[in-house]
């Protein structure tokens, strides 16, 4: 088993009276795909927002290990979470820069390095060699990902023209270009047809196997979750109700109850209230 | 025929100046979706800094004209850039997450403040500068000789160089890519490691630098400035930006040229008194018939 990459401990997020995430602890590891699942409104996206610095959690810690150092994500500002701790994220709705070309989308993701090498574009204007080297490396990295996505032919076309599935994959490649340690994907398979969904799975598995990073996935498509994740964490009403390998989760009574409701003991006996009904 | 040619030469020179100012409007609008009404004042400050720099160089004994022009250009760019940066930092950044009208009101306030600030420091009277660049080339002789002054050539050359350099910055440098990325989706750009605040600051700085050049040229062209020139030139440059399609850089350049030409031709053939009226008639016509401008993309909302 690989070393822990992300340790979430007792994470709690309250909005006024509503507790969206309640005392959640789990671990994500390097070279593993960790899936975060649960019914709608279970608090999955809230966990992502805490991880990427959009929300400041009400309680708890999130520790990210990178290069032998520990970063406490809950204490870092949003853009530093991305730059320094290396947490990259994609959104449910695809957010590519549609007016820029595929290649530019991937180069923008390496902006920080380039900007430093170019000394705020001054050196870039005059073509000094450290900048030229950095730019060459950035273009190379971008080309590498375009090759991998089999999109090299459209490198100089605007990203807005891609098919939905390709846009999704380009968005993931763009996140990879930032050089992340943890890649957070919010429902990557949403809206994909079965063929696109398969290609997405291939991409995610190849990222897991070829890069030293961890993947954290929110997903509703159980075929994707069960097919590619190494480890599943199940949330319901902000609480963790199960944590384990996909096979274990599939047979976990608490999970089945959360998704399908309480099974009726028999048709004759008095109705046993399901937890869902009590809440209403 | 010669008369028309002369008006065209004058119009293009004037248009180049408007184009430089218009870029500031269009860039800021592109990146934060706000009309920076203090931009005309930034240009006015550029003109004043240039005037002070010319006088100081005169006292210091720099009489070689190309050197003086270069020094003044650099000094005006630096000081004006600081003003542009400070305006964004003080008046707009704190309001960025506020409701849409707040920065607009703040911009108008900033514009009034800067006008009064210069009026207090420099006085309300018109300031004049001795002609610095003299002479020219006669293109055609006859009843009505057509002359292109060296100053007009200088204005066009500088404008051309700046616009070419600037287009290159936007198209092919990390800063330009960052600007386009922030323009499209600032949150996502930040998540990818783009420093959004710094990118916006640099946008204001670039706009102010171009406005400073325009300020210096107007000073040389007309020889007189006062604290109020920013308003009129600002509104005309804004018209140029709207005409070209606000948010489009090529549009701002072309819009500036068209406004300059309209002004020169109207003054030449109709009446000098009504030249400003004509510019604003154009603004109204554009807003009615083609609100997205020549190069603007109409906003299509996907449902």
């Amino acid at each position: 088993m690989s070393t822990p990459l992300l340790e979430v401990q007792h994470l709690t997020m309250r909005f006024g009276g509503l507790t969206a995430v309640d005392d959640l602890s789990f671990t994500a590891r390097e070279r593993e795909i960790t899936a975060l699942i649960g019914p709608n409104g279970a608090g999955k996206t809230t966990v992502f927002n805490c991880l990427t610095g959009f929300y400041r959690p009400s309680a708890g810690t999130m520790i990210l290990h990178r290069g032998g150092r520990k970063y406490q994500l809950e204490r870092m500002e949003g853009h530093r979470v991305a730059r320094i701790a290396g947490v990259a994220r994609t959104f449910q709705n695809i957010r590519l820069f549609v007016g820029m070309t595929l290649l530019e989308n991937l180069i923008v993701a390496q902006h920080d390095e380039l900007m430093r090498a170019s000394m705020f574009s001054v050196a870039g204007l005059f073509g000094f060699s450290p900048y030229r080297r950095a730019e060459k490396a950035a273009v190379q990295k971008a080309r590498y990902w375009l090759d991998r996505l089999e999109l090299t032919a459209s490198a100089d076309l605007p990203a807005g023209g891609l098919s939905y599935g390709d846009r999704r994959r380009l968005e993931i490649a763009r996140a990879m270009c930032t050089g992340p340690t943890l890649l957070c994907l919010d429902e990557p398979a949403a809206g994909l047809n079965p063929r696109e969904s398969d290609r997405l799975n291939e991409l995610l598995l190849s990222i897991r196997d070829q890069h030293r990073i961890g993947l954290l996935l929110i997903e509703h498509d159980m075929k994707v979750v069960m097919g590619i994740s190494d480890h599943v964490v199940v949330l319901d009403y902000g609480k963790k109700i199960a944590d384990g390998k996909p096979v274990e989760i599939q047979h976990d009574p608490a999970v089945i109850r959360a998704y399908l409701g309480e099974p009726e003991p028999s048709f004759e006996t008095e109705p046993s209230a399901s937890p869902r009904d009590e809440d209403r | 025929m010669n008369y028309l040619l002369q008006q065209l030469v004058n119009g293009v020179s004037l248009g180049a100046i408007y184009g430089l100012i218009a870029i500031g409007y269009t860039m800021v609008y592109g990146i934060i979706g706000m009309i920076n009404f203090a931009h005309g004042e930034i240009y006015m400050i550029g003109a004043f800094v240039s005037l002070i720099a010319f006088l100081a160089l005169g006292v210091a004994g720099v009489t070689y004209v190309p050197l003086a022009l270069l020094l003044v250009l650099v000094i005006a760019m630096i000081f004006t850039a600081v003003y542009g940066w400070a305006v964004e930092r003080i008046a707009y950044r704190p309001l960025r997450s506020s409701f849409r009208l707040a920065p607009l009101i703040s911009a108008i306030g900033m514009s009034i403040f800067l006008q009064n600030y210069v009026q207090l420091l420099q006085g309300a009277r018109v300031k004049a500068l001795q002609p610095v660049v003299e002479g020219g080339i006669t293109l055609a002789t006859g009843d009505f000789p057509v002359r292109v002054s060296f100053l007009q050539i200088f204005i066009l050359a500088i404008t051309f160089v700046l616009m070419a350099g600037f287009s290159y910055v936007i198209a092919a440098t990390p800063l330009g890519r960052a600007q386009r990325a922030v323009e499209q989706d600032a949150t996502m750009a930040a998540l990818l490691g783009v420093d959004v605040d710094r990118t916006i600051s640099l946008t204001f700085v670039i706009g102010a630098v171009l406005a400073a050049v325009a300020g210096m040229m107007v000073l040389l062209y007309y020889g007189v400035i006062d604290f109020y020139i920013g308003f009129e030139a600002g509104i005309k440059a804004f018209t140029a930006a709207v005409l070209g399609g606000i948010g489009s850089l090529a549009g701002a350049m072309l819009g500036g040229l068209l406004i300059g030409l309209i002004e020169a031709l109207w003054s030449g053939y109709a009446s000098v008194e009504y030249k400003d009226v004509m510019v604003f008639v154009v603004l109204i016509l554009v807003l009615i018939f083609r609100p997205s401008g020549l190069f603007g993309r109409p906003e299509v909302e996907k449902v």
Side-chain angles (χ1 to χ4, degrees):
Chain A
M1 191 168 265
S2 55
T3 49
L5 178 69
L6 172 75
E7 292 176 88
V8 174
Q9 283 158 0
H10 308 293
L11 182 72
T12 301
M13 183 76 212
R14 289 186 208 95
F15 299 100
L18 176 80
T19 307
V21 179
D22 191 0
D23 197 28
L24 172 70
S25 302
F26 71 93
T27 305
R29 289 167 196 284
E30 204 172 273
R31 292 183 192 264
E32 275 193 12
I33 297 179
T34 305
L36 207 54
I37 67 170
N40 280 327
K44 305 177 299 279
T45 302
T46 309
V47 173
F48 265 32
N49 283 338
C50 289
L51 280 173
T52 47
F54 274 102
Y55 296 156
R56 189 133 301 197
S58 314
T61 57
M62 301 171 290
I63 296 166
L64 188 91
H65 298 266
R66 185 187 207 188
R69 298 182 61 171
K70 287 180 179 182
Y71 295 95
Q72 286 198 282
L73 299 182
E74 74 278 4
R75 297 201 183 153
M76 297 171 78
E77 282 169 74
H79 66 278
R80 296 187 69 236
V81 169
R83 276 221 301 257
I84 296 167
V87 179
R89 170 182 191 176
T90 67
F91 288 85
Q92 252 167 306
N93 47 336
I94 297 173
R95 293 175 79 164
L96 285 172
F97 301 120
V98 289
M100 296 167 84
T101 67
L102 271 59
L103 194 66
E104 280 179 331
N105 264 282
L106 297 181
I107 294 175
V108 163
Q110 306 170 59
H111 175 78
D112 194 42
E113 291 154 54
L114 272 179
M115 201 66 177
R116 247 177 291 143
S118 78
M119 300 188 278
F120 305 106
S121 288
V122 177
L125 273 181
F126 299 108
F128 291 153
S129 73
Y131 170 69
R132 278 212 306 269
R133 234 173 296 138
E135 170 144 66
K136 211 170 147 192
V139 172
Q140 231 165 28
K141 196 169 176 184
R143 293 254 175 225
Y144 162 80
W145 280 102
L146 287 177
D147 270 350
R148 216 162 137 175
L149 302 183
E150 293 160 24
L151 289 174
T152 305
S154 348
D156 294 320
L157 299 178
L162 286 180
S163 74
Y164 195 79
D166 282 342
R167 274 196 244 174
R168 181 61 85 186
R169 294 191 311 141
L170 183 67
E171 198 187 22
I172 293 169
R174 186 179 66 179
M176 286 302 295
C177 281
T178 63
T181 42
L182 179 70
L183 179 58
C184 301
L185 305 163
D186 196 345
E187 295 201 30
L192 299 190
N193 65 35
R195 209 180 128 263
E196 290 174 327
S197 184
D198 285 344
R199 296 189 75 189
L200 175 82
N201 288 359
E202 264 169 48
L203 176 68
L204 294 182
L205 286 173
S206 76
I207 288 175
R208 177 192 70 181
D209 296 338
Q210 294 171 24
H211 299 268
R212 293 198 47 171
I213 71 163
L215 287 93
L216 191 62
L217 184 75
I218 291 179
E219 192 47 73
H220 278 299
D221 186 336
M222 282 306 138
K223 200 171 141 254
V224 174
V225 172
M226 296 306 161
I228 65 170
S229 45
D230 301 289
H231 174 198
V232 181
V233 176
V234 191
L235 289 184
D236 192 24
Y237 289 108
K239 286 199 172 82
K240 184 166 88 174
I241 56 171
D243 186 345
K245 293 198 185 316
V247 199
E248 297 163 12
I249 295 299
Q250 272 170 314
H251 301 291
D252 191 304
V255 177
I256 296 168
R257 205 158 46 234
Y259 272 91
L260 303 175
E262 193 84 52
E264 304 280 322
S266 81
F267 292 107
E268 309 306 330
T269 51
E270 77 274 42
S272 70
S274 76
R276 283 272 189 267
D277 290 338
E278 278 168 14
D279 280 341
R280 281 197 194 113
Chain B
M1 185 61 212
N2 282 2
Y3 186 66
L4 174 67
L5 200 61
Q6 183 68 58
Q7 294 310 327
L8 288 179
V9 168
N10 296 345
V12 168
S13 316
L14 194 61
I17 296 175
Y18 289 148
L20 284 175
I21 311 175
I23 287 176
Y25 280 105
T26 222
M27 260 197 334
V28 165
Y29 181 82
I31 205 157
I32 53 175
M34 168 203 137
I35 306 292
N36 176 14
F37 278 114
H39 190 60
E41 268 55 55
I42 293 291
Y43 144 84
M44 178 268 292
I45 285 172
F48 268 90
V49 173
S50 306
L51 177 69
I52 295 167
F54 271 122
L55 297 178
L57 286 178
V59 171
V62 181
T63 48
Y64 181 54
V65 172
L67 178 66
L69 287 176
L70 187 72
L71 284 176
V72 170
L73 200 60
V74 171
I75 293 169
M77 281 176 169
I78 292 171
F79 277 92
T80 314
V82 172
Y83 277 99
W85 177 83
V87 165
E88 192 271 336
R89 192 72 193 73
I90 295 166
Y92 307 148
R93 191 180 295 180
L95 297 173
R96 202 176 296 150
S97 50
S98 179
F99 64 106
R100 271 184 75 94
L101 270 179
L104 202 69
I105 296 165
S106 180
I108 294 170
M110 206 64 209
S111 160
I112 296 171
F113 168 77
L114 287 173
Q115 267 181 32
N116 285 282
Y117 163 79
V118 172
Q119 189 186 357
L120 269 177
L121 286 182
Q122 299 294 326
R125 254 177 292 168
V126 169
K127 302 263 180 279
L129 182 73
Q130 297 293 318
V132 179
V133 185
E134 286 174 311
I137 310 166
T138 307
L139 285 185
T141 48
D143 309 343
F144 192 89
V146 180
R147 278 178 63 80
V148 185
S149 69
F150 289 135
L151 183 60
Q152 283 172 326
I153 294 173
F154 173 71
I155 289 174
L156 289 176
I158 291 277
T159 306
F160 182 77
V161 168
L162 280 175
M163 287 190 175
F166 175 72
S167 306
Y168 176 78
V169 167
I170 295 296
T173 66
L175 173 63
R177 267 192 297 267
Q179 283 180 321
R180 283 180 290 146
V182 171
E183 188 179 327
Q184 290 183 34
D185 188 342
T187 315
M188 196 64 231
L191 278 175
L192 294 172
V194 175
D195 188 334
V196 174
D197 281 343
R198 194 166 69 195
T199 307
I200 292 175
S201 282
L202 285 171
T203 305
F204 275 84
V205 165
I206 292 176
V209 162
L210 296 178
V213 177
M216 174 193 169
M217 287 168 172
V218 154
L219 173 70
L220 291 171
Y221 202 59
Y222 291 125
V224 287
I225 55 169
D226 62 44
F227 71 97
Y228 202 62
I229 56 165
F231 176 75
E232 195 190 298
I235 294 284
K236 281 184 191 165
F238 173 65
T239 306
V242 171
L243 174 61
I246 195 143
S248 152
L249 296 171
M253 299 179 199
L254 187 73
L257 280 182
L258 286 176
I259 293 290
L261 284 173
I262 289 168
E263 201 178 312
L265 293 176
W266 185 266
S267 318
Y269 287 100
S271 95
V272 179
E273 287 81 38
Y274 286 97
K275 69 180 165 74
D276 295 345
V277 174
M278 200 51 215
V279 171
F280 299 121
V281 166
V282 170
L283 175 62
I284 292 165
L285 290 178
V286 171
L287 287 176
I288 293 173
F289 293 107
R290 201 174 156 81
S292 57
L294 296 174
F295 290 152
R297 287 149 297 183
E299 293 213 1
V300 183
E301 201 165 321
K302 260 193 185 165
V303 187

